[in-house]
Amino acid sequence: MKVEQISIFIENKSGRLAEVSRVLGDSGINIRALSLADTSDFGILRLIVDQTDKAKTFLKEHGFTVNKTEVVAVEVPDRPKGLCGILEILDAHKINVEYMYAYVERSNSNAIIIFRFDQVEAAIKVLTANDVVVLKGERIYTL
Amino acid sequence: MIWNDDFETLPREAIASLQLKRLKQTLDRVSVAVPLYQEKFSAAKIGMAQIKSLDDLRRLPFTLKQDLRDNYPYGMFAVPLDEIVRIHASSGTTGKPTVVGYTRRDIDIWAELMARAFVAAGSHRGDVIHNAYGYGLFTGGLGAHYGAERLGASVIPMSGGNTKKQIMIMKDFGSTVLTCTPSYALYLAEAALEEGVDIRKLPLRIGIHGAEPWSEQMRSEIEEKLGIKAMDIYGLSEILGPGVAIECVEEQHGLHIWEDHFIPEIINPETGEPVPAGEKGELVITTITKEGIPLIRYRTRDITRLIVEPCTCGRTHVRLERMSGRSDDMLIIRGVNVFPSQIESVLFSIEGIEPHYQLIVDRADNLDTLEVQVEVNEQTFSDEIKVLQKLSHHITKDIKDLLGVTCKVRLVEPKSIARSEGKAQRVIDKRLDK
């Protein structure tokens, strides 16, 4: 039920983001979802790609610092309070969201949100117990 | 093991009387042969007959690097050029290089002292000495080379650079001793890893590192990453080159300076006065056997203290504590004296920090600023910003606690700080251009 995400350390200087996408593109890797968190000095690029390990290897070969983390992809009803309902469930179980970002799906009535939790296993258990749809990694990589 | 038992274990009184005899001979020579010393001694109104004890040495004027520059290239030579068999020079990054000349006997003594150094560091005949100090005008390469040959070891004259080949040779030739700067040793370890060579599994046993200030933490880093015992060696071209002083493998604490050839003193760099025994200050060296360029009370600018307690290795020559910086490399940041080696110690005490760092000193709104650039690696990297910010704050706090200086930590990508194949450039002081 978990989704593999790679994170890349990017110094805040021009051309680095382009370099990452070039490396991935040249290696035939497709980006599925992406989020960039930034500070004044550096950024962290988080990516879900179709071939995680290959992407990690190629990026490392090009001198990037890369690590792999597990995130959770959740289907959120595309209506008012859709996200709120899910966050309330998590809150009730004292599960903390480290960060989250939306995943844009081309044709579906539901939105997909990627969550990074402090307790991944517990979060998945709570969500599924409350009938929230948690998507499998394979589904995300190949959508 | 000791290379030259007769001299290295000479009783203290015998060292002192030998020093006085040789000092007088040197003074007699330079006061005749070197115009600069004639002028200096007459300006100080001191005659050589007044030097009766070693304590009288402190009545003599200092020699500065500037004196060598002012007398560029041959003005400091105490013998005619036809007796000089070798010429070396410092890099001259801050102006004209300082030129030094060696007579045949100087080269012979240098080789002898370097052989002593190799043995003190745990090396012996039969070792394969991989010499990655630069050959050329810089004294490191040839100094170590001649000493290794004198020892009877097999020398691989690699010189600096061409890192991939260094690793291949080290692996194929079975190098057992590595001589290079400490920063290059770490660079080699890093490059070997990339080449898929486990340097720890090679026969390499000892590293002899000098030519730049380094810390105890950097020693641990080198010892761990290369799987060797890393030894500190000290030297400077003005005095001789590498091999002026060396740590013994028994203690790995403090570098024995060969007192039968040099007289060390420690002074307060501000006042020029001697510091109380055992205190830190600037190292001043007088050469007492050199023929080419004998130097009287040469201010090295290196900061250290003397360790006079007897050493377990049996050598009677005093030890210099690991150099903690240079009096002229000292950064004054908002009035606080900071040595790059102090910051290095802080960085290395934090787990997961890469040994590569750079200090950028600048001035903004008339206030000094210090930026510490640290490379992020897989161990320290996290996909959560707060973890990285915590690391930055941790470093800032430790530096503030220890040195009283507020710095900004900038985390940079791996390998983004330039690697050096010689001396690492740790400090960029932009205030100098303002």
Side-chain angles (χ1 to χ4, degrees):
Chain A
M1 300 291 259
K2 285 170 281 190
V3 180
E4 287 187 332
Q5 171 197 265
I6 52 171
S7 312
I8 304 136
F9 180 83
I10 295 182
E11 233 179 281
N12 206 346
K13 60 185 182 195
S14 59
R16 296 310 283 161
L17 210 47
E19 179 67 19
V20 173
S21 53
R22 184 161 46 240
V23 170
L24 292 176
D26 288 350
S27 326
I29 288 161
N30 201 4
I31 300 173
R32 313 296 316 158
L34 154 168
S35 120
L36 179 65
D38 68 318
T39 70
S40 57
D41 294 338
F42 63 84
I44 299 174
L45 180 66
R46 299 154 184 154
L47 296 174
I48 294 174
V49 297
D50 55 354
Q51 304 164 78
T52 310
D53 290 326
K54 190 174 165 192
K56 194 173 170 216
T57 309
F58 277 118
L59 286 166
K60 275 175 77 169
E61 274 171 16
H62 283 80
F64 287 98
T65 304
V66 188
N67 74 13
K68 197 159 84 170
T69 35
E70 286 175 334
V71 291
V72 178
V74 174
E75 246 186 41
V76 181
D78 195 4
R79 57 172 163 74
K81 292 210 112 182
L83 174 61
C84 183
I86 289 170
L87 293 176
E88 276 167 2
I89 296 169
L90 294 166
D91 185 38
H93 289 83
K94 300 260 177 292
I95 288 167
N96 194 27
V97 177
E98 301 286 358
Y99 58 77
M100 54 181 269
Y101 54 96
Y103 175 99
V104 183
E105 210 179 342
R106 264 179 296 239
S107 59
N108 198 314
S109 57
N110 285 339
I112 295 175
I113 294 191
I114 310 287
F115 284 96
R116 168 88 153 99
F117 295 114
D118 55 348
Q119 314 159 59
V120 184
E121 303 291 348
I124 293 173
K125 221 168 124 187
V126 166
L127 290 170
T128 44
N130 283 276
D131 299 324
V132 176
V133 180
V134 177
L135 299 170
K136 282 201 170 75
E138 293 70 36
R139 169 109 197 280
I140 302 290
Y141 311 140
T142 55
L143 264 173
Chain B
M1 279 294 291
I2 289 178
W3 172 254
N4 186 331
D5 250 319
D6 291 346
F7 283 96
E8 292 179 63
T9 61
L10 212 56
R12 295 297 310 167
E13 312 79 62
I15 291 179
S17 68
L18 183 65
Q19 281 182 328
L20 184 61
K21 188 181 112 200
R22 289 179 168 178
L23 172 66
K24 282 182 175 167
Q25 290 170 347
T26 302
L27 289 174
D28 286 343
R29 245 191 2 257
V30 297
S31 57
V32 173
V34 184
L36 176 87
Y37 283 118
Q38 287 168 359
E39 287 162 30
K40 274 185 188 270
F41 296 159
S42 96
K45 295 193 172 48
I46 190 152
M48 292 310 100
Q50 288 167 265
I51 306 299
K52 296 196 176 75
S53 74
L54 285 175
D55 283 342
D56 291 333
L57 179 62
R58 68 181 59 154
R59 300 165 65 183
L60 295 170
F62 293 116
T63 305
L64 308 175
K65 196 180 184 90
Q66 191 59 41
D67 291 323
L68 275 82
R69 291 213 184 101
D70 292 345
N71 290 282
Y72 175 86
Y74 300 140
M76 297 287 288
F77 286 20
V79 296
L81 208 51
D82 68 359
E83 285 182 39
I84 296 288
V85 299
R86 177 101 62 80
I87 295 169
H88 279 288
S90 71
S91 53
T93 39
T94 46
K96 287 275 193 195
T98 41
V99 180
V100 288
Y102 300 74
T103 63
R104 195 169 298 283
R105 183 165 169 270
D106 288 338
I107 295 284
D108 188 55
I109 289 176
W110 189 7
E112 153 78 14
L113 298 188
M114 252 329 273
R116 283 189 195 176
F118 275 116
V119 172
S123 176
H124 47 70
R125 198 187 160 91
D127 264 324
V128 177
I129 297 180
H130 186 106
N131 186 21
Y133 281 117
Y135 282 65
L137 280 178
F138 172 59
T139 51
L142 284 163
H145 184 102
Y146 274 60
E149 281 190 355
R150 174 68 59 91
L151 170 67
S154 315
V155 199
I156 311 173
M158 284 307 302
S159 196
N162 212 346
T163 305
K164 279 190 183 178
K165 192 165 182 187
Q166 301 257 9
I167 293 158
M168 183 193 89
I169 299 258
M170 206 177 276
K171 184 166 141 262
D172 295 351
F173 292 15
S175 311
T176 56
V177 177
L178 170 66
T179 50
C180 65
T181 58
S183 55
Y184 192 52
L186 282 176
Y187 181 56
L188 275 170
E190 194 177 83
L193 212 60
E194 276 168 23
E195 294 292 301
V197 174
D198 187 352
I199 211 165
R200 298 178 51 90
K201 295 215 172 103
L202 302 184
L204 203 63
R205 202 174 80 243
I206 296 165
I208 299 177
H209 310 298
E212 62 187 22
W214 50 311
S215 62
E216 206 50 44
Q217 287 85 348
M218 187 148 172
R219 186 210 303 271
S220 317
E221 194 81 36
I222 292 174
E223 294 196 328
E224 196 203 311
K225 290 197 166 148
L226 285 92
I228 58 173
K229 236 175 160 42
M231 310 294 295
D232 194 7
I233 188 167
Y234 176 74
L236 62 171
S237 65
E238 298 89 316
I239 295 301
L240 187 75
V244 172
I246 181 92
E247 282 181 331
C248 55
V249 69
E250 289 86 351
E251 283 287 317
Q252 255 187 323
H253 172 65
L255 300 90
H256 291 282
I257 176 163
W258 308 123
E259 287 186 279
D260 49 338
H261 297 273
F262 313 107
I263 303 177
E265 295 172 81
I266 306 291
I267 61 159
N268 177 329
E270 315 274 311
T271 64
E273 292 300 315
V275 301
E279 275 189 23
K280 265 194 189 187
E282 179 182 333
L283 174 67
V284 170
I285 298 178
T286 298
T287 69
I288 48 174
T289 51
K290 263 180 80 183
E291 293 179 335
I293 295 192
L295 293 181
I296 308 303
R297 303 194 82 200
Y298 183 72
R299 291 189 59 162
T300 66
R301 297 290 173 189
D302 289 312
I303 302 292
T304 181
R305 66 180 195 95
L306 294 185
I307 304 171
V308 295
E309 292 79 44
C311 184
T312 54
C313 73
R315 289 175 184 83
T316 49
H317 299 226
V318 298
R319 285 173 283 170
L320 310 175
E321 190 178 71
R322 164 187 291 284
M323 302 296 146
S324 54
R326 286 177 57 78
S327 67
D328 54 358
D329 267 5
M330 187 178 73
L331 295 165
I332 301 181
I333 297 167
R334 297 194 191 185
V336 181
N337 295 352
V338 176
F339 291 106
S341 59
Q342 293 176 301
I343 293 179
E344 181 181 302
S345 295
V346 173
L347 292 178
F348 285 1
S349 65
I350 299 171
E351 203 176 337
I353 293 288
E354 283 283 317
H356 302 283
Y357 65 92
Q358 199 158 49
L359 310 178
I360 318 282
V361 186
D362 205 346
R363 188 166 289 149
D365 301 328
N366 291 318
L367 279 177
D368 296 331
T369 59
L370 170 66
E371 179 177 290
V372 179
Q373 295 191 345
V374 180
E375 289 186 0
V376 162
N377 59 18
E378 268 180 57
Q379 208 186 332
T380 48
F381 177 50
S382 159
D383 63 322
E384 291 173 48
I385 283 185
K386 65 180 178 199
V387 175
L388 291 178
Q389 283 178 335
K390 215 167 123 186
L391 176 70
S392 300
H393 292 151
H394 185 174
I395 299 170
T396 305
K397 185 180 176 298
D398 281 5
I399 289 175
K400 172 84 184 169
D401 286 351
L402 203 78
L403 304 176
V405 168
T406 305
C407 70
K408 173 185 169 18
V409 171
R410 181 188 287 270
L411 299 177
V412 298
E413 285 177 26
K415 311 258 163 36
S416 62
I417 294 172
R419 300 301 194 256
S420 153
E421 294 183 327
K423 299 190 188 196
Q425 195 192 1
R426 297 297 193 196
V427 180
I428 296 174
D429 195 338
K430 293 183 173 171
R431 295 175 302 185
L432 302 174
D433 306 324
K434 289 190 172 172

